[in-house]
């Protein structure tokens, strides 16, 4: 099993995370993406060729 590391967030990023947690009522965890292997279709990636739509 590979080790994931938590992201180092600046004050502004941490405030945004805290705001989002309050809005949606969940705890968010920020991981350092540079230490994580590519997870394929399960990972969050930006692809301008794909359209988001309800399934």
């Amino acid at each position: 099993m590979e080790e994931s590391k938590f992201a180092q967030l600046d004050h502004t990023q941490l405030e945004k995370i805290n705001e989002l947690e309050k809005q949606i009522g969940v705890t968010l965890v920020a991981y350092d993406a540079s230490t994580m292997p590519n997870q394929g279709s399960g990972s969050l990636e930006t692809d301008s060729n794909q359209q988001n739509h309800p399934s």
Side-chain angles (χ1 to χ4, degrees):
M1 180 175 209
E2 297 186 31
E3 185 177 327
S4 299
K5 295 184 180 179
F6 295 113
Q8 297 296 315
L9 303 176
D10 63 31
H11 182 71
T12 303
Q13 292 169 318
L14 188 55
E15 284 182 342
K16 184 63 175 176
I17 293 288
N18 289 333
E19 178 183 318
L20 289 169
E21 287 178 330
K22 288 178 184 175
Q23 286 179 0
I24 61 177
V26 298
T27 300
L28 299 174
V29 179
Y31 290 101
D32 183 346
S34 68
T35 65
M36 299 177 71
N38 184 356
Q39 298 295 318
S41 64
S43 64
L44 179 60
E45 297 179 10
T46 302
D47 184 352
S48 60
N49 294 327
Q50 292 184 338
Q51 300 276 331
N52 289 334
H53 60 85
S55 298

